């Protein structure tokens, strides 16, 4: 079973002339430190962005609901008008 622990090493000597790696170290502490630093900076902004996105989605949903409500009202009005008795009057002079 292959482990998935990050390991960082300097490959410059190997890439340039096939030499040995000059330094190598395990990456867990480094990754944890970077993660903590990034979340400290990005975290508050991410919360604000998520809140803004939720607000925008809620506003769009409300707009769609209002538009559908108007469409429903118009359709009901049209249906009511369609079933009203038609009164025919003779407008010709007698």
């Amino acid at each position: 079973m292959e482990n998935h622990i990050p390991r960082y090493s300097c490959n410059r000597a190997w890439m340039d002339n096939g030499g040995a790696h000059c330094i190598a170290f395990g990456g867990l502490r480094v990754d944890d430190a970077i993660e903590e630093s990034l979340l400290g900076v990005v975290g508050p902004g991410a919360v604000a962005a998520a809140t803004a996105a939720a607000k925008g989605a809620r506003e769009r949903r409300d707009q769609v609901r209002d538009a559908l409500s108007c469409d429903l009202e118009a359709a009901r009005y049209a249906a009511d008008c369609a079933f009203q008795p038609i009164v025919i009057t003779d407008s010709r002079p007698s």
Side-chain angles (χ1 to χ4, degrees):
M1 179 178 195
E2 183 180 333
N3 69 30
H4 297 284
I5 298 173
R7 182 150 183 84
Y8 297 98
S9 61
C10 175
N11 295 328
R12 178 51 54 193
W14 179 79
M15 290 188 309
D16 288 348
N17 56 21
H21 298 288
C22 60
I23 187 171
F25 54 91
L28 291 178
R29 288 186 189 168
V30 174
D31 285 1
D32 289 345
I34 292 171
E35 177 184 342
E36 187 175 329
S37 295
L38 281 174
L39 290 177
V41 173
V42 175
V47 170
T51 302
K55 180 182 178 188
R58 185 171 48 252
E59 289 172 353
R60 287 188 299 278
R61 183 193 64 227
D62 291 347
Q63 289 173 347
V64 168
R65 186 186 62 235
D66 291 345
L68 290 173
S69 179
C70 288
D71 289 349
L72 178 60
E73 184 179 342
R76 286 179 175 160
Y77 178 78
D80 287 345
C81 288
F83 290 104
Q84 293 295 322
I86 298 173
V87 177
I88 301 174
T89 59
D90 189 359
S91 61
R92 292 181 288 174
S94 316

